[in-house]
Amino acid sequence: MKQQAFYPLFCKSQQYAWGKFGTNSIAGKLWSSNQDKSLDSNTPYAEFWVGDHPNGPSKVEYNSKKVTIPEFLSQDLSLLGSSILNFTNNEPRLPFLLKVLSINKSLSIQSHPDKKLAKKLHSQRPEIYKDPNHKPELAIAITYLDAFVGFRDPIEIYNNLMHYQPCKDLVGVEIVNNLKKQISNKDGKAVSKTLKEIFKAISTAKADIVSTKVDELIKLIHNKPENEYTSDDKLILRLNKQFPGDVGIFLTLLMKYCHLEPNQAIFIGPNTVHNYLAGEIIECMATSDNVIRAGLTPKYKDVEQLIKMLDYDILDKPTKQIMLGVEIEKGIFQYQIPVQDFLVQIIKMKKNQSLQLPTSHSSSVFLLLNGKISNTDLNEKKYSPGTVWFIPQDSEITIYSHDQTVLAVQAMLGKK
């Protein structure tokens, strides 16, 4: 096969209930442009996928047909490059999935297993855990992201239990009193054990009891003047409209809230409880389906497994860090993460500039988010937002901006 500098990809949209509708969705608009299809104002366009995940594989036009990335790469493995082939044991696939998410309402409260647990769960219950891989994630805000990631400071958890009586009722007075003593004694192991007991008490409570306690919680908030509502009060009311009576409403009182502005990012490793609430983001992850849920979802919940696996070590532990990309070259911002499965770079260009894309250590995928570009020279075809390329390792590509600023993202294998 004669190697080109890049190969256009035709990518899938995922239409989940939590997505933004029609042209309000960045994910939808990218898909519309990429596929040259119109958007339906009544359809929630939740995600735009770039990669070869079997639930939404991107396709390459080859020999007058559109074939999946593995089918395309199997014709000539050199297109994938030695670094990814070594990582995948010579399988013709990408080890990562790049997405754009447009979030209108809360996703599930969830976590992902590490590799060891993923292999175990896949061997025991392959019908639920469909692969043996871990699923580390990097979320980068395009507009903003509101999310919960990890657990709150234990003092804040204790204060929430005292402030919201229905939540304290679910947990029990003895456990709450234990937490207070352990915080005072700065006993990290005991705090971790008690936090696990608190999470278990809430997440395993019977559905009818939870529903009753949520009703009490809503009445408690409504009894206050509206101008005295806290941020947690407002969020509880919002989540109850989305998932009435759901146990996840109480679990969020244990979880650490974070807000990301454009270009800010957060890395979510294994065994970390989290959920996305609202916003629009770039997300990159290891290719896997392993999600273990506990609330704010109509999907299957494996509460017992989630309780076992979560990281409850929170006393005097650094909070999850919001990060920015490091400018490795002018206009190229790289996000430093602790896994090799993927590496993400944001590309920013001013009007009428040129920039050479980094492609030396790995083949990659490239997604144009904003602006118009050409490659090779300014007289060539202009590419619009929604353009996606597969770029073989060691390709030399220079892109040119025109009369608009450019924002793009490139995902590839991480460096050792």
Side-chain angles (χ1 to χ4, degrees), residues 17-77:
W18 52 259
K20 292 193 174 186
F21 288 81
T23 56
N24 290 321
S25 167
I26 291 176
K29 288 190 285 189
L30 292 170
W31 171 81
S32 174
S33 176
N34 178 264
Q35 294 281 350
D36 193 23
K37 292 184 178 179
S38 59
L39 292 170
D40 180 351
S41 61
N42 296 313
T43 296
Y45 297 93
E47 300 186 352
F48 181 63
W49 284 19
V50 179
D52 54 25
H53 192 290
N55 290 348
S58 303
K59 293 192 174 180
V60 187
E61 194 159 352
Y62 174 65
N63 284 345
S64 302
K65 294 181 181 178
K66 288 182 180 176
V67 298
T68 65
I69 290 174
E71 289 171 331
F72 170 70
L73 294 173
S74 64
Q75 306 299 313
D76 184 355
L77 290 180

Side-chain angles (χ1 to χ4, degrees), residues 49-218:
W49 284 19
V50 179
D52 54 25
H53 192 290
N55 290 348
S58 303
K59 293 192 174 180
V60 187
E61 194 159 352
Y62 174 65
N63 284 345
S64 302
K65 294 181 181 178
K66 288 182 180 176
V67 298
T68 65
I69 290 174
E71 289 171 331
F72 170 70
L73 294 173
S74 64
Q75 306 299 313
D76 184 355
L77 290 180
S78 69
L79 291 171
L80 191 53
S82 59
S83 59
I84 290 184
L85 284 171
N86 289 336
F87 190 83
T88 64
N89 295 317
N90 288 317
E91 292 181 26
R93 64 177 180 85
L94 296 175
F96 52 83
L97 177 63
L98 180 68
K99 299 180 180 181
V100 173
L101 277 62
S102 293
I103 305 160
N104 188 45
K105 68 177 186 176
S106 177
L107 279 68
S108 59
I109 293 174
Q110 60 185 259
S111 186
H112 309 297
D114 58 24
K115 279 190 176 182
K116 183 179 178 181
L117 179 57
K119 288 178 181 178
K120 180 182 176 182
L121 293 173
H122 177 62
S123 66
Q124 292 175 341
R125 288 182 284 169
E127 72 284 359
I128 296 172
Y129 299 104
K130 300 181 184 297
D131 63 79
N133 201 16
H134 65 167
K135 195 171 179 277
E137 299 175 345
L138 178 71
I140 307 170
I142 300 174
T143 55
Y144 70 95
L145 173 65
D146 288 332
F148 283 110
V149 181
F151 288 108
R152 302 185 194 222
D153 182 274
I155 295 173
E156 192 177 350
I157 292 172
Y158 173 77
N159 289 338
N160 274 348
L161 292 171
M162 296 302 292
H163 179 70
Y164 295 105
Q165 183 65 43
C167 192
K168 184 180 178 182
D169 292 343
L170 287 178
V171 172
V173 174
E174 183 178 350
I175 294 176
V176 176
N177 289 340
N178 286 343
L179 180 63
K180 184 181 181 182
K181 291 175 190 174
Q182 292 154 2
I183 293 169
S184 298
N185 295 334
K186 297 184 178 179
D187 187 342
K189 287 186 178 179
V191 168
S192 298
K193 183 180 177 182
T194 298
L195 177 57
K196 184 176 182 179
E197 291 174 354
I198 292 169
F199 192 91
K200 181 177 180 179
I202 295 172
S203 58
T204 60
K206 292 182 179 179
D208 58 339
I209 295 173
V210 170
S211 179
T212 298
K213 290 299 174 183
V214 170
D215 288 343
E216 291 176 14
L217 183 65
I218 300 305

